Amino acid sequence: MTGLEFHRQLTLQPKSPSERAAIFANPGFGNFFTDHMVDICWSEAGGWHRPRIQPYGPIELDPAASVLHYGQEIFEGLKAYRHADGSIWAFRPDANARRLQSSALRMALPELPVEHFLDSLKALISVDAEWVSSEPETSLYLRPFMFAKEAFLGVRPAKKVAYYLIASPAGAYFTGGVAPVSIWLSESYSRAGKGGTGAAKTGGNYAASLVAQNEAYAHGCQQVLFLDSVEGKYLEELGGMNIVLVYKDGSLVTPLSDSILPGITRDSVLQLAEERGHKVTRRAVTIAEWRDGFESGEIVEAFACGTAAVITPIGQVKAKDFTIGSPDTAAGELTMSLREELTDIQYGRRDDSHGWMYRLDG
Ligand SMILES: *Cc1c(COP(=O)(O)O)cnc(C)c1O
């Protein structure tokens, strides 16, 4: 496949270096956006067409656009990292491209070719490279997404779809050191059901998680942990992060289920652990196994993982009738050393022996 030729319409009002510096001083997550965005149209008749770079701004959408009614939408999340020599890289973006395709299949959306996905990342960086900060542990969060834009209220897959890419500067996730989080065990709500959309990165899964997330906040927790929807006893994942348990013999276990989103961070971290000689198992794990294993000393660490925070140690799980751990449980040693190894690769501080990094600039 030949590379896409993006039509370029540059903004007449780019942020000034000082405005950008003010944003970089306190970017948080998902609050500010770069000067441009990329979009590619799709229609049943014409396939993928009209790739564009244009000024970042509101999208015009017909009120009948089916995404607004039936939620036919998918997205991705990955980061651009600035290395010490100034070059800009993404981490395994081909895996995000393929996952966008599998999400598309589940949500009856068209598959965007992997090359178009990668070209869109490079196109945005070609105009917004200055938005990739060189401050330690910062990045430019890239958010590709696709939605049904056909104006039609009948229920069927849309014949007109849009793919967009926007980007948002991200600060160091943990300011003042990596801190273990408390998570709330949701026993009233499921995130995804058997045969449902749990393995697709689609907005509806997030919409379904928010009421449980509110419950977590009400119990003083930052995140919510979901169980399987059939028996309500097997671990699934957090609202937007996968989960891994570490056993005292050094083995790692992560839940296996077809309603879990297959995280690229989890896949990478488990591969690094395997290469160090740790045994890694993907299998069904119950919440009872975690509770009993923690009490007996069999399970010694737990962490959540995803692109935004990379690896977050879990200090405590709070449930209606029991608690595992405590909020001041220290971050696990293996958890932290895997986090360091992965972020060293991402920021170019360590040799990329897996060929995971993909250059976005130049
Ligand atoms: C995106 C996401 C993850 C993490 O995936 P990464 O590829 O590691 O960022 C985990 N769970 C859910 C529900 C997600 O949407």
Side-chain angles (χ1 to χ4, degrees):
M1 185 151 313
T2 55
L4 289 180
E5 281 291 329
F6 285 83
H7 177 261
R8 288 159 74 107
Q9 184 203 339
L10 299 189
T11 179
L12 301 174
Q13 295 154 316
K15 291 268 189 311
S16 68
S18 67
E19 284 172 310
R20 201 162 44 235
I23 291 172
F24 281 175
N26 189 15
F29 183 81
N31 297 315
F32 303 98
F33 298 92
T34 65
D35 292 318
H36 298 93
M37 60 188 186
V38 164
D39 78 306
I40 313 176
C41 297
W42 179 90
S43 67
E44 195 179 56
W48 292 104
H49 62 278
R50 207 177 63 182
R52 287 188 296 197
I53 298 169
Q54 52 175 325
Y56 182 92
I59 296 173
E60 192 170 282
L61 209 54
D62 193 289
S66 50
V67 64
L68 300 175
H69 305 272
Y70 309 127
Q72 198 191 3
E73 185 270 354
I74 55 176
F75 66 96
E76 271 303 324
L78 68 166
K79 287 173 169 175
Y81 306 88
R82 173 94 59 188
H83 287 186
D85 66 357
S87 58
I88 299 172
W89 302 76
F91 178 73
R92 302 184 67 185
D94 54 312
N96 294 93
R98 286 193 306 273
R99 188 169 66 189
L100 187 72
Q101 291 183 327
S102 60
S103 297
L105 283 176
R106 179 63 184 85
M107 301 306 289
L109 283 162
E111 287 175 88
L112 182 73
V114 170
E115 286 305 320
H116 287 8
F117 181 93
L118 297 175
D119 284 351
S120 75
L121 305 182
K122 288 192 276 196
L124 190 61
I125 293 300
S126 76
V127 290
D128 283 343
E130 281 150 38
W131 287 89
V132 188
S133 165
S134 50
E135 288 299 310
E137 307 303 314
T138 66
S139 60
L140 181 64
Y141 183 76
L142 303 170
R143 166 52 61 89
F145 59 105
M146 188 192 297
F147 59 88
K149 75 168 179 199
E150 183 183 359
F152 176 64
L153 292 184
V155 180
R156 58 149 170 75
K159 295 181 181 182
K160 277 190 187 163
V161 167
Y163 165 82
Y164 277 81
L165 170 65
I166 57 174
S168 172
Y173 198 86
F174 295 101
T175 45
V178 175
V181 292
S182 293
I183 61 180
W184 171 251
L185 180 70
S186 175
E187 293 173 271
S188 326
Y189 303 105
S190 297
R191 171 189 168 272
K194 187 170 160 52
T197 57
K201 212 165 172 76
T202 181
N205 294 336
Y206 279 74
S209 76
L210 297 178
V211 63
Q213 181 71 45
N214 274 344
E215 217 178 68
Y217 294 146
H219 288 87
C221 297
Q222 296 97 318
Q223 296 280 344
V224 59
L225 169 63
F226 291 98
L227 299 175
D228 76 283
S229 64
V230 178
E231 296 185 62
K233 65 180 194 189
Y234 296 102
L235 304 183
E236 294 249 302
E237 60 173 319
L238 307 189
M241 280 190 272
N242 297 124
I243 181 157
V244 176
L245 304 179
V246 181
Y247 289 66
K248 75 164 187 276
D249 66 358
S251 62
L252 292 88
V253 174
T254 193
L256 181 69
S257 146
D258 55 14
S259 45
I260 291 176
L261 193 286
I264 296 160
T265 314
R266 178 177 69 161
D267 185 69
S268 309
V269 163
L270 293 179
Q271 186 172 331
L272 294 177
E274 260 172 344
E275 288 165 7
R276 292 184 189 188
H278 292 270
K279 183 168 167 244
V280 170
T281 314
R282 295 164 179 83
R283 63 166 170 84
V285 194
T286 63
I287 184 70
E289 175 177 343
W290 189 355
R291 187 179 57 181
D292 297 346
F294 181 83
E295 275 166 17
S296 70
E298 192 63 27
I299 295 175
V300 291
E301 301 180 23
F303 63 85
C305 50
T307 294
V310 193
I311 288 185
T312 306
I314 297 172
Q316 169 181 246
V317 182
K318 264 186 175 178
K320 197 158 48 62
D321 300 321
F322 63 92
T323 305
I324 304 171
S326 78
D328 40 47
T329 308
E333 211 175 298
L334 182 62
T335 300
M336 293 308 289
S337 97
L338 287 170
R339 184 178 207 282
E340 182 176 276
E341 185 174 355
L342 185 59
T343 52
D344 279 354
I345 295 170
Q346 292 171 332
Y347 287 95
R349 298 184 293 244
R350 191 183 288 240
D351 191 35
D352 172 28
S353 60
H354 306 86
W356 280 341
M357 303 309 292
Y358 178 86
R359 184 133 188 207
L360 294 178
D361 65 321

